[in-house]
Amino acid sequence: MIGAQALLKALENNAVTEVYAYPGGTVLPIYDAMSGSNIRRILVRHEQAAAFAAQGYSRSTQGVGVCLATSGPGATNLVTGIADAMLDSIPMIAITGNVFKELIGSDAFQETDIVGICEPIVKHSYFIESANDIPRVVAEAFHLAQSGRPGPVLIDIPKCQQNAVISAEIQKQIENNDLVELDLPGYKLPPALDTDQINAAAQLIKNAKKPVVIYGHGVILSNAEAHLKEFLEQTKIPNVWTLHGIGGYDNTQDLSLGMLGMHGTGTANFAVHHSDLVIGIGIRFDDRITGKLTEFSLNKKFIHFDIDSSEFNKNVPAAVCLHGQIRDTLPALTKTLETGIGETWQDWSQDLVLKKAAWPLSTGPTDRLTEIGVINQLYGSLGEEDIVLTDVGQHQMWSAQRFFPKKSRKFLTSGGLGTMGFSLPTAMGATFSGHPVWSISGDGGFQMNSQELATIAQDNLPVKIIILNNSFLGMVRQWQELFYDKNYVDTPLKNPDFVKLGEAYGIPSFRAETLEESAKLITKMKDFDGPILVEFKVSKEENVFPMVPAGESLGNTMLGRNKKIDKA
Amino acid sequence: MKERFILLVVTRNAPGVLSRVSSLLRRKLFNIDSLTVGRAICNRESRFTIVIEGNKVEANKAALLIERLVEIRSVKVMKPELCLRREIVLATVKVDSPAQTKILHEAEDAVLSQELSQNGNLITIELIDTSQKLDAFLVKIEASSIEVIDWVRSGVIAMEQA
Ligand SMILES: Cc1ncc(C[n+]2csc(CCOP(=O)(O)OP(=O)(O)O)c2C)c(N)n1
């Protein structure tokens, strides 16, 4: 058995069923071995899409997606998708081929130091020195990708080690799928519960007058949704969520105030701005939610739940840090709090509920087709299991503000890196969750990975493709309108005919220009078996509100062009 | 003087660890005064001594970030005064007069030193002490116009007091 075959067997042993991949010279032995394996190959049309598709699988299931690329340009094409996974803490394994070991360092044809390039954007990386290490490295990579704070792991395998014959002993080990011994002596998982910290947190909550909970991705990554529900329902603390917190809790409740941050709801931003205690659960106080940091942390205390201790005190000073899996720390805190504690801050809660009613999200104009109109129609027709992906831009924020799913892992978006081109390839991987998949993109971002229509067509991946075409790079145009005196430099787009484009790839494609057409086509998409594309021609110059201008405080949230929450 | 902290780091002795640690500190914009690394007694481990310029909060941040790397066994943040610290200098100086020789010997006596070789008026010496004392040595020598032909420092190594 050679290294390449060992790799495939090791992947199978780790329950891999698909690999998102693109061939090339330094992965030929792996391709040769793949033809004899049960693992399905998804042939993407650009390696960036392989990285995103692998993420789509990870984000929508609880598994670990795997992508594969050849050395040099193949490997560097993965980089954006790997960086995206790192910033959003998505488990993923990227495998690259590299030139023969003897050639490494010689600027050989298609040699790049992909381990070096990826150093800041991976949880860990490996360069395979010996084919015998492959089974152990694969097992370690899966463990590292999923445990603790998840993240991408890179395995770079020189072609000579793909060809090298492995020892009889190791061959027997992987053929029998024996437990592989990991060699990760320095890798620490979070410590046991710190009851002093739990008690300190409970004390802060008991003394609070205006508490608010911000929950984020960490809740979902820790499978702590039920614990969050229990905590919120017992304490009745008003709550808001981050972009990646969507689905962490049934956010249709009275005290669920909306998404927080730059395009958060007026009430969510108001609540956090005026609170005296912020309980951050699985969030990292990113600048897109805090606004101006000095004002954000003014006059309030913080309790911070995280699995990664380097997040504590990074952006805000925490009075109490609860280090560990949220599924362990949060229920421990809930237990120490009495039911009925919510009466302490009843006035605060009631005020917020009134504000929420006074500052609803816009339902959009009804005299024309807009992004909000399409999104509302779509959300009205979704089933509980449907997965929605967005790209990056205005449509992403409109979609996020209005999504109230019953379950987690139903709203997939590029949060930390904000990568245009995310939606379509990530949706491909999400189809392997077995649930209906809706991919929303703007006309700009769609064209960053539109080549994947070929992959979708070839593999008949059932992606329901929505293009919200406002003929602009909308989000940038909005900033130009508001802050650069409508100087629309390079944001108007001359677009292809998206319907013809879809048809050229053999995908049934349609266009909607009115609310009626839109409603009909969404119903058609819902019932459609297989890939389908619809271009929605929406009005060109709508703006996303609420909005906190860059660098300003949440207290300056603009509810509309001339309306701020502090004046409202 | 700027505040400094010492990070005592034990890592796996694996290829790439030095690069992971140093590039992490670079990209998070920490100010590194000195970074040394060598094998530990156990061949599978390496020990780093990293001196960073900054306050306690920054030093702790650096420690947490380093600890997050998979191959790190342990990180300790220490106030320099609470560590045993040593640095080595190898230097070649040119001594032109008996007066200079006298000054050189006085300066040598203030630190742990040894003359390694002599070639005419060129003397190569080894000095071992704290960085501050080695700095003071250099000031003294330069003030007396002794020409320093070559000068190389090892960077600090440190450990906790027993
Ligand atoms: C790869 C990449 N390049 C540039 C940007 C900067 N950017 C953010 S939003 C945006 C406009 C997106 O336009 P479109 O895809 O049409 O979506 P819309 O905002 O109109 O909904 C741009 C250019 C980005 N986020 N990602």
Side-chain angles (χ1 to χ4, degrees), chain A residues 498-510:
Chain A
F498 289 112
V499 173
K500 279 193 188 152
L501 183 70
E503 282 169 350
Y505 285 101
I507 294 173
S509 302
F510 308 89

Side-chain angles (χ1 to χ4, degrees), chain A residues 392-395 418-420 442-445 448 470 472-476:
Chain A
V392 171
Q394 291 183 306
H395 69 279
T419 316
M420 285 171 70
D443 44 319
M448 285 223 175
N470 56 12
F472 272 105
L473 296 173
M475 185 57 96
V476 180

Side-chain angles (χ1 to χ4, degrees), chain A residues 74-85:
Chain A
T76 56
N77 274 349
L78 293 177
V79 168
T80 301
I82 296 174
D84 191 278

